[in-house]
Amino acid sequence: SKNTLVGLDELTTARELSSLFIQLGRYSLTEEILTKLIAESEKLYGTNSIRLIDPLVDQGRLALAKGDYTLAEKIAQRVNKIATEVYGERSTKTAPTQKLLADIDYAIGDYEKAEALYKESLHLNKNIYGDEHPEVATSLSNIGVLYLRTGRYEEAEPLLKSALEMRIKLLGEEHPNVVTSLNIYASLLTNLGK
């Protein structure tokens, strides 16, 4: 049928499109794609399959982007349960679910809980990837941005500086994540009066 996603290639393409559309702010199209993708994956693999992790994380990110924190939390709890039961709490497969939970806590202003989850993510990423990796830079940046948001500028500075330097080294000066890090670091320096 035309409304059904068939093979693994189609499922993968649909998931990649949903991630892109979230970034572009095309929420209604993303919601349609994710709803079909999740329904098809549940039909093919079951309701607790590891194949649901990525689309559910995207669905949680979509709900978060739309400001539906209750739905985002519900989805995040479900996907974190699936990932944790299969892979354990200290796995690259559970890291995105934990980051989603931290992002939700950050969005609703529960900075203490978000900080703990972001620090756990940093620890996990360093153990998995080593001290210099784009995921480690992202974790450093997440903690630094939280500190920046809560006025803890002195604590934010070394984290944001490390994230920026690591991203330049690993990704090159023209990469979008480097530009984002540079803007965040400039904002921090402005707040510090430097």
Side-chain angles (χ1 to χ4, degrees), residues 64-171:
L64 183 60
K66 291 171 63 178
D68 190 341
Y69 304 133
T70 303
L71 178 60
E73 178 76 21
K74 181 179 171 185
I75 294 165
Q77 292 296 341
R78 177 185 176 198
V79 70
N80 192 57
K81 184 175 185 266
I82 293 169
T84 303
E85 285 177 358
V86 175
Y87 297 108
E89 288 188 15
R90 299 187 181 278
S91 165
T92 56
K93 300 294 185 181
T94 57
T97 68
Q98 291 170 344
K99 182 183 180 308
L100 176 60
L101 286 166
D103 289 344
I104 293 165
D105 290 331
Y106 179 87
I108 63 174
D110 191 344
Y111 300 127
E112 191 174 304
K113 197 170 168 189
E115 181 180 357
L117 287 166
Y118 284 143
K119 285 182 174 180
E120 175 62 29
S121 179
L122 174 62
H123 179 72
L124 178 64
N125 284 326
K126 281 187 172 187
N127 284 340
I128 294 167
Y129 301 114
D131 288 340
E132 287 199 352
H133 187 275
E135 290 297 328
V136 172
T138 296
S139 293
L140 289 169
S141 182
N142 288 337
I143 299 166
V145 167
L146 184 140
Y147 291 166
L148 176 62
R149 172 92 184 243
T150 56
R152 295 161 61 184
Y153 305 132
E154 298 296 330
E155 291 174 84
E157 186 173 17
L159 297 171
L160 294 175
K161 185 177 182 182
S162 292
L164 174 61
E165 290 171 349
M166 194 179 304
R167 284 177 167 164
I168 289 170
K169 179 180 176 183
L170 299 173
L171 304 173

